[in-house]
Amino acid sequence: QVQLAESGGGSVQAGGSLRLSCAASGYTFSNYCMGWFRQSPGKEREGVATIESDGTTTYAHSVKGRFTISKGKAQNILYLQMNSLKPEDSAMYYCAADPVQRGGYCYGYKYLEVWGQGTLVTVSS
């Protein structure tokens, strides 16, 4: 059974940086689609970034150029490097995985069905 555990959230001032981590167990995600979502109170869940097995990445327009999704050299670690943070980036951030190997491709955020518990990011102005 796939389990995901996020860490690295916290409070930071606008313009600062944070790196979120996601550790996966019961799952070797190198051949699967992985991604990050976020959700803040009163807002819909938003897909932030995805990464395919070959390292191909996609980003939401709101974070492109500021955030970087990557896989760690260690097995089963996913990262989200967040730079130039803005107050509107404040949210609960969730790591997500596709539990089915689809050639290692992502189809948007459609099949990212397994989620972690989330880690809170707060950006103050």
Side-chain angles (χ1 to χ4, degrees), residues 1-34:
Q1 184 178 356
V2 180
Q3 291 186 321
L4 304 173
E6 303 93 337
S7 61
S11 296
V12 64
Q13 289 192 328
S17 299
L18 284 173
R19 187 175 79 161
L20 306 183
S21 299
C22 173
S25 60
Y27 183 73
T28 300
F29 66 64
S30 58
N31 294 324
Y32 296 77
C33 173
M34 298 288 294

Side-chain angles (χ1 to χ4, degrees), residues 41-76:
K43 294 187 178 180
E44 292 189 359
R45 182 184 68 192
E46 176 186 20
V48 175
T50 63
I51 186 166
E52 298 181 331
S53 60
D54 66 353
T56 299
T57 57
T58 61
Y59 297 94
H61 178 74
S62 57
V63 306
K64 200 167 186 178
R66 300 187 298 121
F67 290 13
T68 303
I69 186 172
S70 64
K71 296 178 183 178
K73 291 181 180 180
Q75 289 283 336
N76 293 348

